[in-house]
Short mmCIF file of all heavy atoms in Angstrom, two decimals:
data_model
loop_
_atom_site.label_atom_id
_atom_site.label_comp_id
_atom_site.label_asym_id
_atom_site.label_seq_id
_atom_site.Cartn_x
_atom_site.Cartn_y
_atom_site.Cartn_z
N MET A 1 85.57 76.66 84.49
CA MET A 1 86.40 77.17 85.59
C MET A 1 85.95 76.58 86.90
O MET A 1 84.96 77.02 87.48
CB MET A 1 86.31 78.70 85.62
CG MET A 1 87.30 79.34 86.59
SD MET A 1 89.01 79.15 86.04
CE MET A 1 89.85 79.91 87.45
N SER A 2 86.63 75.56 87.36
CA SER A 2 86.19 74.88 88.58
C SER A 2 86.88 75.42 89.82
O SER A 2 86.52 75.07 90.93
CB SER A 2 86.46 73.38 88.47
OG SER A 2 87.85 73.17 88.28
N MET A 3 87.86 76.31 89.60
CA MET A 3 88.59 76.84 90.74
C MET A 3 87.71 77.80 91.52
O MET A 3 87.00 78.62 90.96
CB MET A 3 89.83 77.57 90.22
CG MET A 3 90.85 77.83 91.28
SD MET A 3 91.59 76.34 91.95
CE MET A 3 92.49 77.06 93.31
N SER A 4 87.77 77.68 92.84
CA SER A 4 87.01 78.58 93.70
C SER A 4 87.85 78.87 94.92
O SER A 4 88.84 78.20 95.19
CB SER A 4 85.70 77.93 94.12
OG SER A 4 85.94 76.84 94.97
N ALA A 5 87.43 79.86 95.69
CA ALA A 5 88.16 80.19 96.91
C ALA A 5 88.16 78.99 97.85
O ALA A 5 89.17 78.67 98.47
CB ALA A 5 87.51 81.40 97.58
N GLU A 6 87.02 78.33 97.90
CA GLU A 6 86.91 77.16 98.79
C GLU A 6 87.92 76.09 98.39
O GLU A 6 88.59 75.49 99.23
CB GLU A 6 85.49 76.61 98.67
CG GLU A 6 85.07 75.72 99.83
CD GLU A 6 83.59 75.34 99.72
OE1 GLU A 6 82.79 76.24 99.40
OE2 GLU A 6 83.28 74.17 99.91
N ARG A 7 88.03 75.86 97.09
CA ARG A 7 88.97 74.88 96.59
C ARG A 7 90.41 75.32 96.88
O ARG A 7 91.25 74.51 97.27
CB ARG A 7 88.74 74.71 95.08
CG ARG A 7 89.70 73.76 94.41
CD ARG A 7 89.50 72.33 94.92
NE ARG A 7 90.53 71.46 94.41
CZ ARG A 7 90.49 70.88 93.20
NH1 ARG A 7 89.47 71.09 92.41
NH2 ARG A 7 91.46 70.09 92.80
N ALA A 8 90.69 76.60 96.70
CA ALA A 8 92.04 77.11 96.92
C ALA A 8 92.44 76.96 98.39
O ALA A 8 93.59 76.67 98.71
CB ALA A 8 92.10 78.58 96.50
N ILE A 9 91.47 77.15 99.28
CA ILE A 9 91.74 76.99 100.72
C ILE A 9 92.05 75.52 101.02
O ILE A 9 92.97 75.20 101.76
CB ILE A 9 90.56 77.50 101.55
CG1 ILE A 9 90.45 79.03 101.42
CG2 ILE A 9 90.69 77.10 103.02
CD1 ILE A 9 89.14 79.61 101.93
N ARG A 10 91.28 74.63 100.42
CA ARG A 10 91.56 73.20 100.60
C ARG A 10 92.95 72.86 100.08
O ARG A 10 93.70 72.10 100.70
CB ARG A 10 90.51 72.35 99.88
CG ARG A 10 89.31 72.00 100.73
CD ARG A 10 88.66 70.70 100.28
NE ARG A 10 88.22 70.76 98.89
CZ ARG A 10 87.06 71.28 98.51
NH1 ARG A 10 86.23 71.76 99.40
NH2 ARG A 10 86.74 71.30 97.24
N ASN A 11 93.29 73.41 98.93
CA ASN A 11 94.63 73.17 98.36
C ASN A 11 95.71 73.62 99.33
O ASN A 11 96.74 72.96 99.49
CB ASN A 11 94.79 73.93 97.05
CG ASN A 11 94.01 73.30 95.92
OD1 ASN A 11 93.54 72.17 96.02
ND2 ASN A 11 93.85 74.06 94.84
N ALA A 12 95.48 74.77 99.95
CA ALA A 12 96.48 75.30 100.88
C ALA A 12 96.65 74.37 102.08
O ALA A 12 97.78 74.12 102.52
CB ALA A 12 96.06 76.69 101.35
N HIS A 13 95.55 73.84 102.58
CA HIS A 13 95.67 72.93 103.71
C HIS A 13 96.39 71.64 103.31
O HIS A 13 97.16 71.08 104.10
CB HIS A 13 94.28 72.63 104.30
CG HIS A 13 93.75 73.75 105.14
ND1 HIS A 13 94.13 73.94 106.44
CD2 HIS A 13 92.92 74.77 104.84
CE1 HIS A 13 93.53 75.02 106.91
NE2 HIS A 13 92.79 75.55 105.96
N ASP A 14 96.16 71.18 102.10
CA ASP A 14 96.91 70.03 101.60
C ASP A 14 98.40 70.37 101.52
O ASP A 14 99.26 69.56 101.86
CB ASP A 14 96.43 69.63 100.20
CG ASP A 14 95.06 68.98 100.24
OD1 ASP A 14 94.62 68.57 101.33
OD2 ASP A 14 94.42 68.90 99.18
N TRP A 15 98.67 71.59 101.08
CA TRP A 15 100.07 72.05 100.95
C TRP A 15 100.74 72.11 102.31
O TRP A 15 101.90 71.73 102.47
CB TRP A 15 100.04 73.42 100.27
CG TRP A 15 101.37 73.99 99.91
CD1 TRP A 15 102.05 73.84 98.74
CD2 TRP A 15 102.21 74.83 100.74
NE1 TRP A 15 103.24 74.53 98.79
CE2 TRP A 15 103.36 75.15 100.00
CE3 TRP A 15 102.08 75.34 102.04
CZ2 TRP A 15 104.38 75.95 100.50
CZ3 TRP A 15 103.10 76.14 102.55
CH2 TRP A 15 104.23 76.43 101.78
N PHE A 16 100.00 72.56 103.35
CA PHE A 16 100.55 72.62 104.72
C PHE A 16 101.05 71.26 105.17
O PHE A 16 102.04 71.15 105.87
CB PHE A 16 99.48 73.08 105.71
CG PHE A 16 99.07 74.53 105.55
CD1 PHE A 16 97.82 74.95 105.99
CD2 PHE A 16 99.92 75.45 104.98
CE1 PHE A 16 97.43 76.27 105.86
CE2 PHE A 16 99.54 76.78 104.84
CZ PHE A 16 98.28 77.19 105.29
N GLU A 17 100.33 70.22 104.77
CA GLU A 17 100.65 68.88 105.25
C GLU A 17 101.94 68.34 104.66
O GLU A 17 102.59 67.49 105.25
CB GLU A 17 99.50 67.92 104.94
CG GLU A 17 98.28 68.20 105.79
CD GLU A 17 97.14 67.23 105.50
OE1 GLU A 17 97.39 66.21 104.82
OE2 GLU A 17 96.02 67.50 105.96
N VAL A 18 102.32 68.83 103.48
CA VAL A 18 103.50 68.28 102.81
C VAL A 18 104.67 69.26 102.79
O VAL A 18 105.72 68.95 102.24
CB VAL A 18 103.17 67.83 101.37
CG1 VAL A 18 102.16 66.68 101.41
CG2 VAL A 18 102.62 68.98 100.54
N ASN A 19 104.47 70.45 103.37
CA ASN A 19 105.55 71.44 103.38
C ASN A 19 105.86 71.90 104.80
O ASN A 19 104.96 72.07 105.61
CB ASN A 19 105.16 72.67 102.55
CG ASN A 19 105.20 72.38 101.06
OD1 ASN A 19 106.24 72.46 100.42
ND2 ASN A 19 104.05 72.02 100.50
N ASP A 20 107.14 72.08 105.07
CA ASP A 20 107.58 72.61 106.36
C ASP A 20 108.05 74.05 106.19
O ASP A 20 108.30 74.50 105.07
CB ASP A 20 108.76 71.78 106.91
CG ASP A 20 108.32 70.37 107.24
OD1 ASP A 20 107.20 70.20 107.73
OD2 ASP A 20 109.12 69.45 106.99
N GLY A 21 108.19 74.72 107.31
CA GLY A 21 108.84 76.03 107.29
C GLY A 21 107.91 77.19 107.00
O GLY A 21 108.36 78.32 106.91
N TRP A 22 106.62 76.94 106.86
CA TRP A 22 105.68 78.04 106.63
C TRP A 22 105.14 78.51 107.97
O TRP A 22 105.15 77.78 108.95
CB TRP A 22 104.53 77.57 105.73
CG TRP A 22 103.83 76.36 106.26
CD1 TRP A 22 104.14 75.06 105.97
CD2 TRP A 22 102.74 76.33 107.19
NE1 TRP A 22 103.30 74.23 106.67
CE2 TRP A 22 102.43 74.98 107.43
CE3 TRP A 22 102.00 77.31 107.85
CZ2 TRP A 22 101.41 74.59 108.30
CZ3 TRP A 22 100.99 76.91 108.71
CH2 TRP A 22 100.70 75.56 108.93
N ALA A 23 104.71 79.73 108.02
CA ALA A 23 104.07 80.27 109.22
C ALA A 23 103.09 81.34 108.80
O ALA A 23 103.35 82.09 107.86
CB ALA A 23 105.11 80.87 110.15
N PRO A 24 101.95 81.40 109.48
CA PRO A 24 100.99 82.44 109.13
C PRO A 24 101.58 83.82 109.42
O PRO A 24 102.38 83.97 110.35
CB PRO A 24 99.80 82.17 110.07
CG PRO A 24 100.03 80.82 110.64
CD PRO A 24 101.50 80.56 110.59
N PRO A 25 101.21 84.81 108.64
CA PRO A 25 101.68 86.18 108.91
C PRO A 25 101.05 86.70 110.20
O PRO A 25 99.95 86.26 110.58
CB PRO A 25 101.16 86.96 107.70
CG PRO A 25 99.94 86.20 107.25
CD PRO A 25 100.27 84.75 107.52
N ASP A 26 101.76 87.58 110.89
CA ASP A 26 101.13 88.18 112.07
C ASP A 26 100.13 89.25 111.61
O ASP A 26 100.07 89.60 110.43
CB ASP A 26 102.17 88.72 113.05
CG ASP A 26 103.05 89.80 112.44
OD1 ASP A 26 102.54 90.60 111.64
OD2 ASP A 26 104.24 89.84 112.78
N GLU A 27 99.34 89.73 112.54
CA GLU A 27 98.25 90.64 112.18
C GLU A 27 98.74 91.90 111.49
O GLU A 27 98.12 92.39 110.55
CB GLU A 27 97.45 91.03 113.44
CG GLU A 27 96.50 89.95 113.90
CD GLU A 27 95.66 90.41 115.09
OE1 GLU A 27 95.44 91.62 115.22
OE2 GLU A 27 95.25 89.55 115.88
N ASP A 28 99.88 92.45 111.97
CA ASP A 28 100.41 93.67 111.39
C ASP A 28 100.84 93.46 109.94
O ASP A 28 100.58 94.29 109.07
CB ASP A 28 101.61 94.18 112.19
CG ASP A 28 101.19 94.77 113.53
OD1 ASP A 28 99.98 95.00 113.70
OD2 ASP A 28 102.06 94.97 114.39
N THR A 29 101.50 92.33 109.70
CA THR A 29 101.95 92.03 108.34
C THR A 29 100.75 91.88 107.41
O THR A 29 100.72 92.44 106.31
CB THR A 29 102.76 90.72 108.34
OG1 THR A 29 103.87 90.87 109.22
CG2 THR A 29 103.26 90.39 106.95
N LEU A 30 99.76 91.14 107.87
CA LEU A 30 98.56 90.94 107.05
C LEU A 30 97.87 92.28 106.78
O LEU A 30 97.44 92.55 105.65
CB LEU A 30 97.61 89.98 107.77
CG LEU A 30 96.42 89.47 106.95
CD1 LEU A 30 96.89 88.68 105.73
CD2 LEU A 30 95.53 88.59 107.82
N ALA A 31 97.81 93.12 107.80
CA ALA A 31 97.17 94.44 107.64
C ALA A 31 97.92 95.28 106.62
O ALA A 31 97.31 95.99 105.81
CB ALA A 31 97.10 95.14 108.98
N ASP A 32 99.27 95.20 106.64
CA ASP A 32 100.07 95.94 105.66
C ASP A 32 99.77 95.48 104.24
O ASP A 32 99.62 96.28 103.32
CB ASP A 32 101.57 95.76 105.94
CG ASP A 32 102.05 96.63 107.08
OD1 ASP A 32 101.30 97.53 107.51
OD2 ASP A 32 103.18 96.42 107.54
N TRP A 33 99.70 94.18 104.07
CA TRP A 33 99.40 93.63 102.74
C TRP A 33 98.05 94.12 102.26
O TRP A 33 97.92 94.60 101.15
CB TRP A 33 99.39 92.10 102.78
CG TRP A 33 100.71 91.45 103.02
CD1 TRP A 33 101.94 92.01 102.86
CD2 TRP A 33 100.94 90.11 103.46
NE1 TRP A 33 102.92 91.09 103.17
CE2 TRP A 33 102.34 89.93 103.53
CE3 TRP A 33 100.10 89.03 103.79
CZ2 TRP A 33 102.90 88.71 103.93
CZ3 TRP A 33 100.65 87.83 104.17
CH2 TRP A 33 102.04 87.66 104.25
N LEU A 34 97.05 93.99 103.13
CA LEU A 34 95.69 94.35 102.73
C LEU A 34 95.60 95.85 102.42
O LEU A 34 94.86 96.26 101.52
CB LEU A 34 94.69 93.97 103.81
CG LEU A 34 94.59 92.46 104.12
CD1 LEU A 34 93.50 92.19 105.13
CD2 LEU A 34 94.37 91.64 102.86
N ALA A 35 96.34 96.66 103.17
CA ALA A 35 96.35 98.10 102.92
C ALA A 35 96.89 98.40 101.53
O ALA A 35 96.51 99.38 100.90
CB ALA A 35 97.17 98.82 103.99
N ASP A 36 97.80 97.55 101.06
CA ASP A 36 98.37 97.72 99.72
C ASP A 36 97.54 97.02 98.65
O ASP A 36 97.89 97.03 97.47
CB ASP A 36 99.79 97.16 99.68
CG ASP A 36 100.78 98.03 100.47
OD1 ASP A 36 100.44 99.20 100.71
OD2 ASP A 36 101.86 97.53 100.83
N GLY A 37 96.46 96.36 99.07
CA GLY A 37 95.62 95.66 98.11
C GLY A 37 96.21 94.36 97.60
O GLY A 37 95.85 93.87 96.53
N VAL A 38 97.12 93.79 98.40
CA VAL A 38 97.75 92.54 98.00
C VAL A 38 97.75 91.57 99.17
O VAL A 38 97.34 91.92 100.29
CB VAL A 38 99.22 92.74 97.54
CG1 VAL A 38 99.27 93.66 96.32
CG2 VAL A 38 100.07 93.30 98.67
N CYS A 39 98.20 90.34 98.92
CA CYS A 39 98.32 89.35 99.99
C CYS A 39 99.31 88.29 99.51
O CYS A 39 99.49 88.12 98.31
CB CYS A 39 96.96 88.73 100.29
SG CYS A 39 96.91 87.85 101.85
N ARG A 40 99.94 87.63 100.45
CA ARG A 40 100.84 86.53 100.12
C ARG A 40 100.11 85.20 100.27
O ARG A 40 99.18 85.08 101.08
CB ARG A 40 102.05 86.52 101.05
CG ARG A 40 102.98 87.69 100.87
CD ARG A 40 103.97 87.46 99.75
NE ARG A 40 104.79 88.66 99.53
CZ ARG A 40 105.61 88.82 98.48
NH1 ARG A 40 105.72 87.87 97.58
NH2 ARG A 40 106.30 89.91 98.34
N CYS A 41 100.57 84.23 99.54
CA CYS A 41 100.11 82.85 99.72
C CYS A 41 101.12 82.12 100.61
O CYS A 41 102.22 82.62 100.83
CB CYS A 41 100.03 82.15 98.37
SG CYS A 41 98.75 82.82 97.31
N PRO A 42 100.77 80.96 101.11
CA PRO A 42 101.73 80.20 101.93
C PRO A 42 103.06 79.94 101.21
O PRO A 42 104.09 79.81 101.86
CB PRO A 42 100.99 78.90 102.22
CG PRO A 42 99.55 79.28 102.16
CD PRO A 42 99.45 80.31 101.07
N ASP A 43 103.05 79.85 99.91
CA ASP A 43 104.29 79.60 99.17
C ASP A 43 104.96 80.90 98.70
O ASP A 43 105.82 80.87 97.84
CB ASP A 43 104.04 78.66 97.99
CG ASP A 43 103.13 79.28 96.93
OD1 ASP A 43 102.51 80.32 97.21
OD2 ASP A 43 103.05 78.71 95.84
N GLU A 44 104.53 82.03 99.29
CA GLU A 44 105.15 83.35 99.09
C GLU A 44 104.70 84.05 97.80
O GLU A 44 105.17 85.15 97.51
CB GLU A 44 106.69 83.27 99.09
CG GLU A 44 107.28 82.64 100.34
CD GLU A 44 107.11 83.49 101.58
OE1 GLU A 44 106.97 84.72 101.45
OE2 GLU A 44 107.08 82.94 102.68
N CYS A 45 103.81 83.46 97.03
CA CYS A 45 103.32 84.14 95.83
C CYS A 45 102.52 85.38 96.24
O CYS A 45 101.83 85.37 97.27
CB CYS A 45 102.44 83.21 95.01
SG CYS A 45 103.34 81.88 94.21
N LEU A 46 102.61 86.41 95.42
CA LEU A 46 101.88 87.64 95.68
C LEU A 46 100.58 87.62 94.87
O LEU A 46 100.60 87.44 93.65
CB LEU A 46 102.73 88.85 95.28
CG LEU A 46 102.23 90.22 95.73
CD1 LEU A 46 102.30 90.33 97.25
CD2 LEU A 46 103.06 91.32 95.09
N VAL A 47 99.46 87.79 95.57
CA VAL A 47 98.15 87.72 94.92
C VAL A 47 97.25 88.81 95.46
O VAL A 47 97.64 89.59 96.33
CB VAL A 47 97.49 86.34 95.16
CG1 VAL A 47 98.33 85.23 94.54
CG2 VAL A 47 97.28 86.08 96.65
N THR A 48 96.03 88.87 94.97
CA THR A 48 95.04 89.78 95.54
C THR A 48 94.51 89.15 96.83
O THR A 48 94.55 87.93 97.00
CB THR A 48 93.88 90.02 94.56
OG1 THR A 48 93.31 88.78 94.20
CG2 THR A 48 94.38 90.73 93.31
N PRO A 49 94.00 89.98 97.76
CA PRO A 49 93.58 89.45 99.06
C PRO A 49 92.56 88.32 98.98
O PRO A 49 92.55 87.43 99.82
CB PRO A 49 92.99 90.68 99.76
CG PRO A 49 93.74 91.82 99.17
CD PRO A 49 93.94 91.45 97.72
N ASN A 50 91.68 88.37 98.00
CA ASN A 50 90.66 87.32 97.89
C ASN A 50 90.96 86.36 96.75
O ASN A 50 90.06 85.68 96.25
CB ASN A 50 89.28 87.96 97.69
CG ASN A 50 88.81 88.68 98.95
OD1 ASN A 50 88.81 88.11 100.04
ND2 ASN A 50 88.46 89.94 98.82
N GLY A 51 92.25 86.28 96.40
CA GLY A 51 92.61 85.43 95.27
C GLY A 51 93.46 84.24 95.67
O GLY A 51 93.62 83.93 96.85
N TRP A 52 94.01 83.61 94.65
CA TRP A 52 94.90 82.46 94.87
C TRP A 52 95.94 82.49 93.78
O TRP A 52 95.76 83.11 92.74
CB TRP A 52 94.13 81.14 94.86
CG TRP A 52 93.15 81.04 93.75
CD1 TRP A 52 93.41 80.60 92.48
CD2 TRP A 52 91.76 81.41 93.78
NE1 TRP A 52 92.27 80.67 91.73
CE2 TRP A 52 91.24 81.14 92.49
CE3 TRP A 52 90.91 81.90 94.77
CZ2 TRP A 52 89.91 81.39 92.18
CZ3 TRP A 52 89.59 82.15 94.45
CH2 TRP A 52 89.09 81.89 93.18
N CYS A 53 97.06 81.82 94.04
CA CYS A 53 98.17 81.90 93.12
C CYS A 53 98.05 80.86 92.02
O CYS A 53 97.16 80.01 92.03
CB CYS A 53 99.50 81.76 93.87
SG CYS A 53 99.88 80.09 94.43
N ARG A 54 98.99 80.93 91.07
CA ARG A 54 98.92 80.02 89.94
C ARG A 54 99.18 78.58 90.33
O ARG A 54 98.99 77.67 89.55
CB ARG A 54 99.91 80.47 88.85
CG ARG A 54 101.34 80.50 89.29
CD ARG A 54 102.18 81.38 88.34
NE ARG A 54 103.53 81.57 88.86
CZ ARG A 54 104.55 80.74 88.57
NH1 ARG A 54 104.37 79.73 87.78
NH2 ARG A 54 105.75 80.97 89.09
N HIS A 55 99.66 78.38 91.58
CA HIS A 55 99.84 77.03 92.09
C HIS A 55 98.57 76.51 92.75
O HIS A 55 98.53 75.40 93.28
CB HIS A 55 101.00 76.99 93.08
CG HIS A 55 102.25 77.61 92.53
ND1 HIS A 55 102.75 78.82 92.96
CD2 HIS A 55 103.06 77.19 91.53
CE1 HIS A 55 103.84 79.11 92.25
NE2 HIS A 55 104.04 78.16 91.39
N GLY A 56 97.53 77.35 92.80
CA GLY A 56 96.25 76.93 93.34
C GLY A 56 96.10 77.13 94.84
O GLY A 56 95.14 76.64 95.44
N LEU A 57 97.05 77.85 95.45
CA LEU A 57 96.98 78.06 96.90
C LEU A 57 96.28 79.38 97.21
O LEU A 57 96.59 80.42 96.62
CB LEU A 57 98.38 78.09 97.51
CG LEU A 57 99.24 76.85 97.27
CD1 LEU A 57 100.57 76.99 98.01
CD2 LEU A 57 98.54 75.58 97.71
N ALA A 58 95.36 79.34 98.16
CA ALA A 58 94.63 80.55 98.55
C ALA A 58 95.55 81.52 99.28
O ALA A 58 96.56 81.14 99.87
CB ALA A 58 93.47 80.16 99.47
N SER A 59 95.18 82.79 99.23
CA SER A 59 95.92 83.80 99.98
C SER A 59 95.75 83.55 101.47
O SER A 59 94.79 82.93 101.91
CB SER A 59 95.38 85.20 99.64
OG SER A 59 94.10 85.38 100.23
N TRP A 60 96.70 84.07 102.24
CA TRP A 60 96.59 83.94 103.70
C TRP A 60 95.30 84.58 104.20
O TRP A 60 94.70 84.12 105.17
CB TRP A 60 97.80 84.59 104.39
CG TRP A 60 98.97 83.68 104.53
CD1 TRP A 60 100.21 83.84 103.98
CD2 TRP A 60 99.05 82.45 105.29
NE1 TRP A 60 101.03 82.81 104.34
CE2 TRP A 60 100.35 81.94 105.15
CE3 TRP A 60 98.13 81.75 106.07
CZ2 TRP A 60 100.75 80.75 105.76
CZ3 TRP A 60 98.52 80.56 106.67
CH2 TRP A 60 99.82 80.08 106.52
N HIS A 61 94.89 85.66 103.58
CA HIS A 61 93.65 86.32 104.00
C HIS A 61 92.47 85.35 103.90
O HIS A 61 91.67 85.23 104.84
CB HIS A 61 93.40 87.56 103.14
CG HIS A 61 92.12 88.27 103.45
ND1 HIS A 61 91.88 88.84 104.67
CD2 HIS A 61 91.01 88.47 102.69
CE1 HIS A 61 90.66 89.38 104.65
NE2 HIS A 61 90.11 89.17 103.47
N LEU A 62 92.36 84.66 102.80
CA LEU A 62 91.28 83.69 102.65
C LEU A 62 91.41 82.55 103.65
O LEU A 62 90.43 82.13 104.27
CB LEU A 62 91.29 83.10 101.23
CG LEU A 62 90.78 83.99 100.09
CD1 LEU A 62 90.94 83.24 98.77
CD2 LEU A 62 89.33 84.37 100.31
N ILE A 63 92.63 82.06 103.82
CA ILE A 63 92.86 80.92 104.70
C ILE A 63 92.51 81.27 106.15
O ILE A 63 91.78 80.54 106.83
CB ILE A 63 94.34 80.47 104.63
CG1 ILE A 63 94.66 79.94 103.22
CG2 ILE A 63 94.63 79.41 105.69
CD1 ILE A 63 96.14 79.83 102.94
N LEU A 64 93.02 82.41 106.60
CA LEU A 64 92.81 82.80 108.00
C LEU A 64 91.35 83.19 108.24
O LEU A 64 90.80 82.92 109.32
CB LEU A 64 93.75 83.94 108.38
CG LEU A 64 95.25 83.55 108.32
CD1 LEU A 64 96.11 84.77 108.64
CD2 LEU A 64 95.57 82.41 109.26
N SER A 65 90.70 83.79 107.26
CA SER A 65 89.28 84.12 107.41
C SER A 65 88.46 82.84 107.55
O SER A 65 87.54 82.77 108.37
CB SER A 65 88.78 84.91 106.19
OG SER A 65 89.44 86.15 106.13
N ALA A 66 88.80 81.85 106.73
CA ALA A 66 88.07 80.58 106.81
C ALA A 66 88.30 79.90 108.15
O ALA A 66 87.37 79.33 108.74
CB ALA A 66 88.51 79.67 105.67
N MET A 67 89.53 79.96 108.66
CA MET A 67 89.82 79.37 109.97
C MET A 67 89.02 80.05 111.07
O MET A 67 88.49 79.41 111.97
CB MET A 67 91.31 79.49 110.29
CG MET A 67 92.19 78.51 109.53
SD MET A 67 93.92 78.74 110.01
CE MET A 67 94.70 77.42 109.08
N ALA A 68 88.92 81.37 110.99
CA ALA A 68 88.18 82.13 111.99
C ALA A 68 86.71 81.73 111.97
O ALA A 68 86.09 81.56 113.02
CB ALA A 68 88.34 83.63 111.74
N GLU A 69 86.18 81.53 110.78
CA GLU A 69 84.78 81.12 110.68
C GLU A 69 84.58 79.72 111.23
O GLU A 69 83.61 79.43 111.91
CB GLU A 69 84.33 81.17 109.21
CG GLU A 69 84.09 82.59 108.74
CD GLU A 69 83.76 82.65 107.25
OE1 GLU A 69 83.39 81.60 106.69
OE2 GLU A 69 83.88 83.74 106.68
N ASP A 70 85.54 78.84 110.94
CA ASP A 70 85.45 77.47 111.47
C ASP A 70 85.44 77.50 112.99
O ASP A 70 84.72 76.75 113.64
CB ASP A 70 86.63 76.62 110.99
CG ASP A 70 86.46 76.22 109.53
OD1 ASP A 70 85.36 76.43 109.00
OD2 ASP A 70 87.43 75.72 108.95
N GLY A 71 86.28 78.37 113.57
CA GLY A 71 86.38 78.43 115.01
C GLY A 71 85.09 78.84 115.68
O GLY A 71 84.79 78.43 116.80
N GLN A 72 84.31 79.63 114.93
CA GLN A 72 83.03 80.08 115.50
C GLN A 72 81.96 79.02 115.33
O GLN A 72 80.97 79.02 116.04
CB GLN A 72 82.59 81.37 114.81
CG GLN A 72 83.44 82.57 115.21
CD GLN A 72 83.26 83.74 114.25
OE1 GLN A 72 82.38 83.71 113.39
NE2 GLN A 72 84.07 84.75 114.39
N GLY A 73 82.16 78.13 114.33
CA GLY A 73 81.13 77.14 114.04
C GLY A 73 81.16 76.01 115.02
O GLY A 73 80.24 75.22 115.11
ZN1 ZN B 122 102.13 79.93 94.45
#
């Protein structure tokens, strides 16, 4: 099993480069998802907050958390 959250986040960034029309969820939307124990991926798949979809894309929660950490680094 070579799939990891880190890999899924990289996949998502690759996906951003070749797909148009996506937008990050706003804070309220993300909070609603997390309150329900779920999260969306950039391609609209429903996953767990710390998971990734069958297409290999990380959840928005993982993606945005990683971006926030990068911003601090
Ligand atoms: Zn998907």
Side-chain angles (χ1 to χ4, degrees):
M1 189 68 184
S2 60
M3 196 66 189
S4 68
E6 199 174 317
R7 177 65 187 277
I9 292 166
R10 270 207 302 276
N11 286 347
H13 283 279
D14 288 344
W15 186 91
F16 291 156
E17 290 181 12
V18 296
N19 287 275
D20 294 322
W22 55 269
D26 60 37
E27 282 184 27
D28 287 347
T29 302
L30 191 61
D32 281 349
W33 292 342
L34 298 184
D36 289 341
V38 298
C39 196
R40 292 276 176 191
C41 293
D43 65 348
E44 304 291 335
C45 289
L46 192 67
V47 297
T48 56
N50 291 308
W52 45 87
C53 74
R54 60 198 172 90
H55 309 109
L57 303 183
S59 72
W60 274 118
H61 177 63
L62 285 178
I63 295 165
L64 296 177
S65 296
M67 284 181 177
E69 284 175 18
D70 285 349
Q72 289 164 9

